[in-house]
Amino acid sequence: MNDEILNVENICKSFSTVEVLHSISFGIRRGEILGIIGENGAGKSTMMKILSGVYELSSGQIFFEGKPVQIDSPQDAKSMGISIIPQEFNLINDLSVYNNVFLGSELLKKNGFLDKTAMKKRTRELLSSLEVEISPDAQIGDLSAAEKQMVEISKAIAFKSRILIMDEPTSVLTSHEINILFNLMRKLKEKGLTIVYISHKLKEVKEICDRVMVLRDGNFVLDEEINKISPEKMAQSMVGRELSQIFPEKIKPEEKIVFEVKNITVPDVINNISFNLKKGEILGLGGLVGAGRTEVSEAIMGIRKISEGEIYINGKNLKIKNPEGAVKAGLSYLSEDRQGSGIITSFSVAHNTTLVSLPAYSDNPAQWIDKPGELETAEKYKNLFNLKTASLQTPLEFLSGGNQQKVSMSKSIDTKPQVLIVDEPTRGIDVSAKQEIYHFIHDLVQNNVSCIFISSEMEELIGMCHRVVVMKDGEVTGTLEDTKITEEEIMLLATGITEEDA
Amino acid sequence: MDAAEGEKNTNIFMRILNAVNWQKNASFIALVFLVILSSFLSPYFLKPQNLINIMRQVSYTGIIALGMTFVIVTAGIDLSVGSVVAFTGSVVILTMNAYLNVYNNEVFAIVIGFLVGLGVGGLAGAFNAVMITRGKIVPFIATLGSMAIFRSLSLFIGNAGEIQSHNELYGSFGMGSFLMIPVPVFFLLGLGFVLNLILNNTRYGRYLSAVGSNQKVALFSAINVNKIKFIAYTLTGVLVGISAILLGSRFNAVSTSNMGLAFELDAIAAVIIGGTVMAGGRGTIWGTIFGALILGVINNMLNMVGVSPYLQGTVKGLVIIAAVYVQKQKQ
């Protein structure tokens, strides 16, 4: 295959003991736009970080222009002409456009000072070749998301780029801006640039790519020319796996509605969200990353300010101002960002377990903590969850992700909530821990707790939920029930492709 | 028989050595080491009067350092403490003088001065707290500002000079002793005892650590982060007030330009040397007291061996840097 500019053979990548890429082989053809799609955690970003030198591969070989190469650092990748535009912009807000374009590779005069004139000139050339009107002197902080993206692209192609990897480039863009980006990509392609386009927006992949490859659980499961495949087929291929027996049997919830949100809006984040939750129900909240699901839970918990709408628990209108109020009202939230907002890694198992419910253990005028009671509770959850820890005094940083998640879960339910919102409860944990958490949630809803279950894993939504509310761009696009909860239906609602489009 | 006995003794000795948690007690061990070293360097060092003097000297900044420990556990800092000492001290003496002009009751004057001191210190702390919690100003900057403000205000009300107290009893109160132990030392140890319990055994103490470890987690865990911080800064202000009252009574006067100068440095140094982590989340009250004593012993030792007082700052600086360096290595 002489027309392949880059070729990888049998690449494996493991993090500690978990293999996330299983012996992957593929080639990128010169001058094509290659779409790589897959669910969250399928390994897309890991793959691209290996190609751009951020991660080191565990085994396998990369060939560039037919020659075996080693990409040990982002500098290596850059010198070969592989540039990446990450999902999160890598720009410094306080610097001007030209300073960002040349960041780390500044042009110097003979006397060692910065050659600002040359850098500005080159930046202006780059920007005009992209046909965008941004001044080289503009501050990055003043630019729109789309303009920042253009600067990222300029930065990527400023140094003889051969392959441009774009990771979810449209997630921050409006549809108009996406059109501009696509036109630009076509132009770059005409100039001979090879583009790898990572996305899970199938419609866009269909529109812009020449070829699509589907990554699932660290394996490539599909490689097809774009004109031979429909978005539905792509969606199926992304998620399509047999539901394994790790989910407990669903038990029909009662008809009584325990919790309801009506038309809640957080300006610029979520818009007019309504749904209700029945007693003993597990209500799924599906959608792609960035669809606004986490924001809905943060609004319910009083972390984000609701501009309009109402929240009811047992028919009673709640005015929730902060998380304390939400917890008092009987709500509890298990954060998706375990280490960022769920647990305190330097705190012990026991201290984390009672972090939210501490008032119950210090219910006296001096607010003296009942440490024996606290330990008893921690011990109870340790047994309940089969927690693997040296002791209850062990700081959480020494526990595995799955065990940390069990502690986080204990913390969320020790307040004895009526409504438990779990946000990606099984992210980054192994299958057996997942199964334990599924069964635990299943048992909870049998005991007067109702659950809102946010997940990006289709399998979970289908296996666990009685109903699934699907969101896209901060709005509810549909609610699926019983047999209607299928991967294809969820994907269609989440990506916004209607039957007619397909 | 003797050999066996000897072996048994070494065993016990080794066991004691192993039982000591070196990391946790680093500041105490350093203090013991310094005391032993100093007692060899100067025969006067271990004289009771000298030890009492060291204790008294470190009490004023030590009391402030107790509050600073709470503030640093929340991952904050309070640079204004030295200026607030001068401001509170000035207001206390002016209030007592004004009271004595009308009523001739020195005991009541002290009671009123005390209450005013607590109030003014507490308000100054609350001022910092409001800037930091409501105004979302970084603690370093907020307290840098109030440091300038309170120094300037005390200079203004005292015309940059000294404010003399007309209350003789006030002077003897601060210099007084109980069971040979000076009054300020009683305050330091008593407050230390209480604050240690609060930090380790109460809900507030746990929340302090939570806020300092990870503010976002604390917020998501239904902890009122602003309230926790507000209390920490206000409490520090109250402790600064107590320190100011005791310091003012030591000379029965306040020098508006010199009183409390560089106290923030000594207080922060005591906290850090004591083993509280600058990044927040973990702290120890006894460590802070040991830290303050270490600084006091070093000063005393340098005086005794005749090192120029101008060089003492260098030694202090090196000790602080070394303490933080050791802390970093642990992480």
Side-chain angles (χ1 to χ4, degrees):
Chain A
M1 291 271 256
N2 273 339
D3 65 335
E4 284 184 347
I5 181 165
L6 187 122
N7 201 309
V8 305
E9 273 177 21
N10 304 322
I11 282 192
C12 297
K13 173 69 191 169
S14 308
F15 291 107
S16 58
T17 56
V18 186
E19 194 175 86
V20 292
L21 292 177
H22 315 294
S23 194
I24 283 184
S25 303
F26 71 100
I28 304 172
R29 294 178 206 150
R30 199 182 305 278
E32 75 170 340
I33 300 182
L34 170 66
I36 294 187
I37 60 175
E39 280 193 286
N40 300 311
K44 292 171 294 182
S45 294
T46 308
M47 183 69 242
M48 294 311 136
K49 281 182 178 162
I50 288 173
L51 292 186
S52 58
V54 179
Y55 290 160
E56 207 174 315
L57 43 81
S58 303
S59 66
Q61 183 64 54
I62 302 174
F63 297 89
F64 188 72
E65 299 278 22
K67 285 189 280 282
V69 289
Q70 280 219 340
I71 308 176
D72 292 331
S73 68
Q75 282 73 33
D76 284 359
K78 201 171 175 181
S79 66
M80 269 175 232
I82 303 175
S83 9
I84 185 161
I85 300 177
Q87 213 169 337
E88 307 286 329
F89 294 135
N90 218 342
L91 299 171
I92 297 174
N93 275 336
D94 295 325
L95 290 181
S96 64
V97 169
Y98 77 89
N99 273 320
N100 268 285
V101 168
F102 286 93
L103 196 64
S105 321
E106 285 81 1
L107 303 180
L108 301 179
K109 291 188 208 162
K110 277 187 190 134
N111 60 16
F113 284 108
L114 293 174
D115 192 348
K116 292 186 183 175
T117 330
M119 286 194 281
K120 278 186 205 174
K121 185 164 166 269
R122 180 86 187 99
T123 306
R124 194 169 292 119
E125 284 166 13
L126 278 168
L127 291 168
S128 65
S129 78
L130 302 177
E131 290 176 33
V132 288
E133 287 180 15
I134 304 172
S135 158
D137 287 309
Q139 292 273 306
I140 292 295
D142 299 334
L143 301 182
S144 71
E147 289 172 326
K148 285 183 193 166
Q149 188 126 44
M150 296 303 167
V151 176
E152 274 282 10
I153 294 172
S154 314
K155 194 176 154 185
I157 61 174
F159 303 95
K160 294 211 171 52
S161 195
R162 311 280 303 275
I163 303 178
L164 183 61
I165 301 170
M166 306 172 92
D167 194 356
E168 307 269 0
T170 59
S171 55
V172 292
L173 304 184
T174 64
S175 58
H176 175 68
E177 291 166 341
I178 291 171
N179 279 332
I180 297 175
L181 177 70
F182 283 1
N183 283 332
L184 178 63
M185 286 169 70
R186 291 192 190 98
K187 253 179 248 156
L188 290 171
K189 186 180 133 185
E190 274 166 28
K191 288 183 184 163
L193 192 72
T194 307
I195 299 176
V196 178
Y197 184 84
I198 303 170
S199 183
H200 47 220
K201 296 190 180 168
L202 309 178
K203 213 171 149 186
E204 291 171 5
V205 171
K206 176 88 181 160
E207 183 183 340
I208 190 70
C209 297
D210 302 310
R211 186 163 66 113
V212 62
M213 293 171 61
V214 179
L215 201 55
R216 189 169 75 214
D217 289 341
N219 286 306
F220 273 114
V221 293
L222 186 104
D223 176 352
E224 192 67 85
E225 298 302 320
I226 204 75
N227 47 24
K228 292 184 187 150
I229 187 168
S230 69
E232 270 85 5
K233 185 81 195 310
M234 288 185 217
Q236 253 174 35
S237 173
M238 264 165 78
V239 296
R241 61 192 133 177
E242 292 298 309
L243 284 191
S244 46
Q245 283 308 308
I246 63 171
F247 297 104
E249 202 182 319
K250 291 182 193 174
I251 295 172
K252 204 171 165 8
E254 298 173 27
E255 277 308 306
K256 187 187 164 207
I257 289 174
V258 289
F259 179 77
E260 191 168 14
V261 299
K262 279 187 185 163
N263 312 317
I264 58 169
T265 296
V266 175
D268 301 327
V269 182
I270 51 170
N271 190 17
N272 207 17
I273 303 284
S274 300
F275 58 80
N276 60 43
L277 177 68
K278 294 172 188 165
K279 188 171 182 194
E281 184 179 37
I282 301 175
L283 178 73
L285 216 48
L288 302 173
V289 169
R293 297 164 303 164
T294 296
E295 289 73 9
V296 169
S297 16
E298 288 177 356
I300 293 172
M301 293 305 290
I303 296 162
R304 286 175 187 269
K305 212 171 178 164
I306 296 172
S307 66
E308 272 169 72
E310 277 127 29
I311 298 174
Y312 296 89
I313 191 159
N314 292 323
K316 214 176 86 198
N317 190 353
L318 288 180
K319 290 268 171 275
I320 295 168
K321 292 199 192 74
N322 50 39
E324 287 169 277
V327 168
K328 277 201 189 108
L331 302 172
S332 187
Y333 175 58
L334 177 84
S335 167
E336 63 166 341
D337 181 6
R338 188 164 56 232
Q339 304 215 338
S341 46
I343 53 166
I344 294 178
T345 49
S346 58
F347 269 30
S348 69
V349 173
H351 289 191
N352 269 293
T353 304
T354 59
L355 198 56
V356 191
S357 54
L358 197 62
Y361 298 89
S362 51
D363 189 15
N364 54 61
Q367 302 195 341
W368 194 267
I369 298 172
D370 170 19
K371 287 188 179 174
E374 186 178 35
L375 280 176
E376 211 174 283
T377 302
E379 182 75 35
K380 184 183 90 189
Y381 287 114
K382 183 189 165 197
N383 296 331
L384 186 66
F385 280 116
N386 190 20
L387 190 70
K388 291 189 184 57
T389 173
S391 90
L392 297 175
Q393 311 296 347
T394 311
L396 280 203
E397 57 201 326
F398 300 115
L399 268 61
S400 72
N403 283 306
Q404 288 183 354
Q405 187 68 350
K406 290 175 182 177
V407 175
S408 191
M409 192 82 179
S410 315
K411 174 191 117 154
S412 302
I413 58 170
D414 197 44
T415 56
K416 321 258 180 317
Q418 289 186 54
V419 176
L420 173 67
I421 306 173
V422 291
D423 196 350
E424 306 282 2
T426 63
R427 175 180 287 174
I429 65 180
D430 62 52
V431 178
S432 64
K434 276 186 183 180
Q435 191 170 6
E436 283 171 302
I437 286 183
Y438 296 145
H439 282 267
F440 183 73
I441 293 173
H442 174 78
D443 293 345
L444 267 185
V445 296
Q446 301 309 307
N447 290 295
N448 292 323
V449 181
S450 309
C451 182
I452 295 172
F453 194 105
I454 302 175
S455 178
S456 299
E457 286 189 39
M458 299 294 149
E459 199 178 59
E460 279 184 0
L461 292 174
I462 296 160
M464 290 296 292
C465 300
H466 299 103
R467 284 184 299 154
V468 175
V469 172
V470 185
M471 290 183 62
K472 176 181 178 279
D473 298 336
E475 291 181 17
V476 173
T477 47
T479 303
L480 303 167
E481 207 162 342
D482 298 331
T483 52
K484 286 284 263 179
I485 309 176
T486 63
E487 289 146 348
E488 290 78 10
E489 290 285 339
I490 296 172
M491 244 336 174
L492 290 177
L493 285 172
T495 51
I497 304 165
T498 56
E499 302 286 340
E500 303 91 72
D501 284 342
Chain B
M1 183 74 189
D2 275 4
E5 191 87 327
E7 198 168 292
K8 202 174 148 203
N9 281 339
T10 19
N11 268 345
I12 290 169
F13 183 66
M14 287 308 290
R15 230 180 295 161
I16 291 170
L17 267 186
N18 287 333
V20 173
N21 186 337
W22 292 98
Q23 259 184 26
K24 209 174 159 192
N25 299 306
S27 57
F28 179 68
I29 293 160
L31 178 62
V32 171
F33 171 77
L34 271 174
V35 168
I36 295 171
L37 180 71
S38 307
S39 62
F40 280 111
L41 286 175
S42 161
Y44 299 104
F45 178 79
L46 283 179
K47 286 245 157 89
Q49 195 49 49
N50 186 48
L51 294 178
I52 287 171
N53 267 338
I54 294 175
M55 301 265 281
R56 175 196 292 282
Q57 242 141 27
V58 304
S59 298
Y60 307 107
T61 47
I63 291 169
I64 296 170
L66 299 176
M68 191 70 82
T69 309
F70 275 29
V71 165
I72 290 179
V73 169
T74 70
I77 194 97
D78 187 348
L79 300 178
S80 72
V81 290
S83 300
V84 177
V85 164
F87 178 69
T88 313
S90 312
V91 174
V92 165
I93 290 189
L94 287 176
T95 313
M96 283 194 297
N97 289 350
Y99 179 86
L100 286 174
N101 278 342
V102 187
Y103 308 100
N104 195 11
N105 188 329
E106 292 193 325
V107 178
F108 265 129
I110 289 185
V111 171
I112 284 170
F114 212 99
L115 293 177
V116 166
L118 297 184
V120 171
L123 283 176
F127 174 65
N128 285 332
V130 168
M131 287 194 287
I132 290 159
T133 57
R134 295 272 154 219
K136 308 270 174 233
I137 302 172
V138 185
F140 187 94
I141 303 298
T143 58
L144 188 69
S146 54
M147 176 185 183
I149 291 170
F150 288 112
R151 176 65 62 187
S152 140
L153 287 179
S154 49
L155 288 174
F156 175 72
I157 56 177
N159 246 334
E162 221 177 55
I163 303 174
Q164 288 283 348
S165 155
H166 306 153
N167 188 341
E168 290 306 320
L169 190 65
Y170 179 52
S172 51
F173 159 73
M175 287 308 283
S177 291
F178 185 68
L179 297 175
M180 293 223 346
I181 299 178
V183 171
V185 179
F186 261 115
F187 272 95
L188 175 68
L189 297 179
L191 288 166
F193 180 76
V194 174
L195 293 177
N196 176 57
L197 290 182
I198 291 178
L199 185 60
N200 290 316
N201 291 291
T202 69
R203 194 193 302 170
Y204 178 72
R206 182 74 59 80
Y207 282 177
L208 265 182
S209 297
V211 167
S213 297
N214 191 328
Q215 186 168 323
K216 199 168 168 210
V217 174
L219 182 75
F220 273 70
S221 300
I223 295 171
N224 189 336
V225 173
N226 279 349
K227 184 171 135 194
I228 303 301
K229 286 189 184 175
F230 188 92
I231 295 174
Y233 285 93
T234 309
L235 174 79
T236 301
V238 171
L239 294 174
V240 169
I242 294 175
S243 173
I245 292 160
L246 295 169
L247 197 59
S249 75
R250 185 178 182 185
F251 308 107
N252 212 9
V254 159
S255 154
T256 50
S257 55
N258 280 327
M259 189 192 195
L261 211 57
F263 270 25
E264 61 283 347
L265 293 183
D266 280 6
I268 294 166
V271 175
I272 298 307
I273 293 170
T276 294
V277 184
M278 200 70 195
R282 253 177 306 152
T284 140
I285 287 290
W286 291 123
T288 296
I289 293 179
F290 296 140
L293 285 170
I294 286 172
L295 288 173
V297 170
I298 289 174
N299 261 342
N300 186 263
M301 181 175 85
L302 295 175
N303 281 333
M304 290 204 166
V305 296
V307 174
S308 157
Y310 301 126
L311 270 180
Q312 292 179 6
T314 308
V315 176
K316 202 193 288 179
L318 289 173
V319 170
I320 298 167
I321 293 166
V324 175
Y325 180 76
V326 170
Q327 230 181 56
K328 274 273 169 241
Q329 302 316 303
K330 275 193 242 160
Q331 294 162 6

